[in-house]
Amino acid sequence: MIFDEDKPKKPAGHEVGCDLSALSSDELQARIMLLQAEIERIEAERIRKETGKLAADNFFKPKV
């Protein structure tokens, strides 16, 4: 008897540099969408941090 736990599971994400030759066109498109969403998430965090740094720099800027 084979249980679901015994079946190999596909990785949920994408590993940079992994072999793509065994993936279908639909699987490649899904990975592209996954990576685009991750880029947007990272970009939003970068902007949030830059905004916070700019606010701190302005707050602590010496008054002349």
Side-chain angles (χ1 to χ4, degrees):
M1 184 172 189
I2 297 178
F3 297 99
D4 287 341
E5 297 91 11
D6 297 335
K7 292 181 184 176
K9 295 181 181 177
K10 288 187 176 181
H14 176 78
E15 184 180 328
V16 175
C18 68
D19 180 22
L20 303 174
S21 64
L23 299 176
S24 70
S25 177
D26 288 342
E27 290 171 319
L28 291 169
Q29 183 60 40
R31 293 221 182 169
I32 289 169
M33 292 171 57
L34 174 76
L35 291 168
Q36 286 173 335
E38 183 66 2
I39 289 168
E40 289 173 12
R41 185 181 77 87
I42 292 169
E43 182 68 16
E45 182 66 15
R46 184 188 63 79
I47 290 169
R48 186 187 72 76
K49 289 187 180 208
E50 284 182 357
T51 302
K53 182 182 180 312
L54 181 62
D57 289 346
N58 287 333
F59 181 78
F60 291 108
K61 184 186 281 186
K63 307 282 191 248
V64 179

